Amino acid sequence: MMDFTAVLADLIAESYKKKPGLTVFGIFFGITMVAIAVFAAAYLEKRDFQKIAPKEISEQLIELEKFDDGLKKLSAFIAIQKQQLAEKQKLISDLESKRTELEPIVNSQSEVVEAIFKAQEQRAQKSKWFDLSLGFVLGIFGSLIASVIFKLMDRRTKNA
């Protein structure tokens, strides 16, 4: 099996024997082109890395910072909502305890209020009958007085 470098060396040697100037120029040109290609590839890779990758990384960092800020704001919002819910729950609990404290008082007071209304209604009924009776008696008494006055006037007119 032949080595690649040995075959290449034989090819260059035969080419050199036929046209030495062209072979030297060809070798020099080939080495120069390979060197330029290697340096160009390295330069382009470095330039691409500096322009594209850091830009992408910096954009990613900016996006991550924005995302982190959004998460912090969301976390703060959630904390505020939890605090407000806790305060509302405490207020509801306080109101429930006040309601349980006041409910028996209100029930007993409503019974007292109903009893007062019933007593006032009974008084109003009694007062109604008293007013009717008093009006009736005063009406009769007024009629009697009017009758007496008319009789006295009638006697005076007869005597005169």
Side-chain angles (χ1 to χ4, degrees):
M1 186 169 182
M2 291 186 82
D3 190 14
F4 173 73
T5 55
V7 173
L8 187 61
D10 287 340
L11 185 64
I12 292 173
E14 281 188 36
S15 177
Y16 182 73
K17 287 179 189 175
K18 292 180 185 176
K19 295 184 181 178
L22 189 59
T23 305
V24 171
F25 176 73
I27 292 172
F28 178 72
F29 183 73
I31 291 172
T32 305
M33 288 315 248
V34 169
I36 289 173
V38 168
F39 285 122
Y43 172 75
L44 290 175
E45 185 178 328
K46 183 178 178 183
R47 186 191 68 176
D48 288 345
F49 181 74
Q50 287 175 346
K51 285 186 179 178
I52 296 171
K55 185 177 179 184
E56 289 177 2
I57 291 174
S58 64
E59 287 176 1
Q60 289 177 358
L61 287 175
I62 291 170
E63 290 296 320
L64 286 174
E65 287 175 3
K66 287 179 185 177
F67 187 69
D68 188 41
D69 289 341
L71 287 177
K72 286 178 184 176
K73 288 177 183 177
L74 180 62
S75 178
F77 175 75
I78 289 172
I80 290 170
Q81 291 299 315
K82 283 182 180 179
Q83 181 183 5
Q84 288 177 350
L85 283 175
E87 289 172 0
K88 288 177 182 177
Q89 183 62 37
K90 185 179 181 298
L91 179 64
I92 289 171
S93 298
D94 291 345
L95 289 174
E96 284 290 326
S97 65
K98 293 258 186 197
R99 185 177 75 92
T100 55
E101 288 176 15
L102 294 175
E103 193 170 34
I105 296 171
V106 169
N107 288 338
S108 67
Q109 293 296 330
S110 65
E111 291 170 2
V112 169
V113 168
E114 287 178 24
I116 290 172
F117 283 149
K118 283 183 182 178
Q120 187 175 0
E121 189 177 325
Q122 288 173 352
R123 281 189 208 144
Q125 287 291 333
K126 287 179 184 177
S127 175
K128 176 181 154 185
W129 286 111
F130 177 74
D131 289 344
L132 287 174
S133 301
L134 182 64
F136 183 74
V137 169
L138 288 176
I140 291 175
F141 187 66
S143 292
L144 288 176
I145 291 176
S147 294
V148 169
I149 291 175
F150 278 121
K151 286 261 183 186
L152 286 175
M153 284 176 61
D154 190 38
R155 280 188 193 172
R156 272 195 191 175
T157 49
K158 284 187 183 181
N159 287 342

